[in-house]
Amino acid sequence: MLPQDLHIHSTWSEGDASVVSEQTIGLIAELRHARTVGISDHFELVGEDSFEAYSREVWAAGLKVGMEIDGHRWLPAAEIAEADYRIFHCYDRDADYKALDRLVQTGQPVIVAHPNALDTNLDRVPPECLVEINNRYIWRCNWRSFYGPFVDRFEFVVSSDAHQPHWLGQTVARYVAAELGVREKLLFGA
Ligand SMILES: [Zn+2]
Ligand SMILES: [Zn+2]
């Protein structure tokens, strides 16, 4: 079991073409692939008016309520929406770095989403922010040179950014095997 996974999308991110209809809050909660599980659907796709219904469903499933905010434009609505933490797309623009300053003042965790995929300048990110190592994007960059200089400046979280059940690792296959009562044959002295 993973220690935590706070970047997961569900069917509440309808409109994101990568999300499949099976990626429900119920299934994610049942899979329990991590000790701490948080849902972080795209704020603009959930919609301001539906955010409360979304958070109710996530909390009722025993999961943490997050959101993924696409830049400063969504800040006014996103900062007042009730949640446990926020994930932010910080593009390399003044207004986005300023938005991070504002979000930090909520007193709740602020995670900078996959900075390597957005050309975020980590030098300009407030050190109170958490920086994400994102399973979907991390392998697409020279992560040693991108993240290496900042390992002492920030604290980090590791996330799946799962949009589909099998993005949660081997979890689905293991879940099914367990449900079937199948005991996996471990090879090579595992
Ligand atoms: Zn993202
Ligand atoms: Zn995401």
Side-chain angles (χ1 to χ4, degrees):
M1 192 183 261
L2 305 172
Q4 71 175 356
D5 192 356
L6 298 173
H7 192 155
I8 301 173
H9 295 274
S10 77
T11 49
W12 281 94
S13 283
E14 199 187 335
D16 181 326
S18 297
V19 172
V20 294
S21 59
E22 294 86 351
Q23 181 80 344
T24 59
I25 301 289
L27 178 64
I28 297 163
E30 211 172 330
L31 291 174
R32 270 281 154 212
H33 71 302
R35 279 200 294 280
T36 304
V37 175
I39 304 296
S40 58
D41 277 307
H42 294 291
F43 186 78
E44 76 276 15
L45 295 182
V46 174
E48 234 178 296
D49 297 337
S50 301
F51 195 83
E52 209 183 311
Y54 156 79
S55 53
R56 262 202 310 274
E57 186 182 344
V58 174
W59 273 319
L63 310 179
K64 300 287 183 200
V65 171
M67 63 183 82
E68 187 167 24
I69 306 164
D70 192 32
H72 67 276
R73 190 179 145 208
W74 301 95
L75 179 74
E79 71 180 339
I80 56 167
E82 222 186 306
D84 294 309
Y85 64 96
R86 290 170 183 78
I87 298 182
F88 188 76
H89 279 172
C90 184
Y91 299 91
D92 192 20
R93 326 181 269 216
D94 291 346
D96 283 351
Y97 299 112
K98 274 197 201 114
L100 284 176
D101 284 330
R102 281 264 296 274
L103 284 174
V104 162
Q105 284 165 30
T106 61
Q108 292 183 312
V110 179
I111 300 167
V112 175
H114 43 68
N116 61 301
L118 300 176
D119 288 328
T120 309
N121 180 354
L122 290 175
D123 268 320
R124 298 189 63 187
V125 169
E128 297 85 358
C129 292
L130 300 150
V131 173
E132 183 183 59
I133 298 178
N134 179 303
N135 198 54
R136 185 186 190 188
Y137 294 106
I138 190 67
W139 51 275
R140 305 186 196 191
C141 74
N142 185 338
W143 45 267
R144 216 181 279 283
S145 64
F146 188 90
Y147 287 81
F150 297 97
V151 291
D152 295 325
R153 176 179 159 97
F154 295 106
E155 293 184 292
F156 292 83
V157 297
V158 178
S159 309
S160 70
D161 204 354
H163 289 56
Q164 305 182 15
H166 61 291
W167 293 20
L168 297 163
Q170 291 184 350
T171 316
V172 179
R174 289 195 178 278
Y175 170 77
V176 170
E179 287 291 305
L180 291 173
V182 167
R183 191 153 162 225
E184 184 184 15
K185 164 92 176 145
L186 298 175
L187 282 72
F188 309 114

